[in-house]
Amino acid sequence: MAKKEAGKEAAAALASVVEFKHDLAAMKGLLEEMIAAPENFRPKVLKDHLDPLWPLIEKAMAAGVPVGVIAQRFRDSGQLDVSDAALRKYVKEKQDAKASDSSKAGNAAAKALGATPSGKPKP
């Protein structure tokens, strides 16, 4: 009989855990927390470290500092271990995104003025 009683207690304890695991409100709360701050629920990637520095990286490149030198200085300082290739790839992605954004803005302006994206007026 003692085994049956122990089994019933274990089943009751398990049932309370199962009930909690199926608490829809709790699961929604967890998902809403993840949606509000997804960066807290995934591993950091290089982009996460470089994005806050992008305006300064861009200014350094405009001043003539090569990307390889920027990467080397990051490594030498011990602050960010980034390879030349990884930093070049990040810079290219940022520049491509900027070019794409300006192209979209130009197309929107052309449409607003009644011209085609090539600059020629519509017939």
Side-chain angles (χ1 to χ4, degrees), residues 100-119:
S100 175
D101 289 345
S102 65
S103 174
K104 287 178 186 174
N107 288 343
K111 285 181 183 177
L113 293 174
T116 62
S118 65

Side-chain angles (χ1 to χ4, degrees), residues 14-122:
L14 183 61
S16 66
V17 170
V18 170
E19 283 179 36
F20 174 75
K21 286 185 177 180
H22 292 287
D23 182 357
L24 186 59
M27 289 187 289
K28 283 183 179 179
L30 289 171
L31 289 169
E32 287 170 357
E33 182 182 346
M34 288 182 219
I35 292 166
E39 63 278 359
N40 296 336
F41 297 94
R42 62 173 174 77
K44 295 275 186 199
V45 294
L46 184 60
K47 183 180 182 308
D48 295 327
H49 298 288
L50 291 173
D51 276 350
L53 301 171
W54 173 244
L56 294 173
I57 292 170
E58 197 171 27
K59 285 181 183 177
M61 291 184 328
V65 180
V67 174
V69 172
I70 296 170
Q72 184 64 48
R73 293 297 301 261
F74 283 159
R75 288 191 303 273
D76 290 348
S77 70
Q79 297 298 312
L80 183 62
D81 189 20
V82 60
S83 69
D84 291 6
L87 186 58
R88 286 184 211 289
K89 180 180 177 186
Y90 172 80
V91 167
K92 183 174 181 345
E93 288 171 359
K94 292 297 271 187
Q95 289 173 337
D96 288 349
K98 186 177 180 180
S100 175
D101 289 345
S102 65
S103 174
K104 287 178 186 174
N107 288 343
K111 285 181 183 177
L113 293 174
T116 62
S118 65
K120 297 178 182 175
K122 292 181 181 177

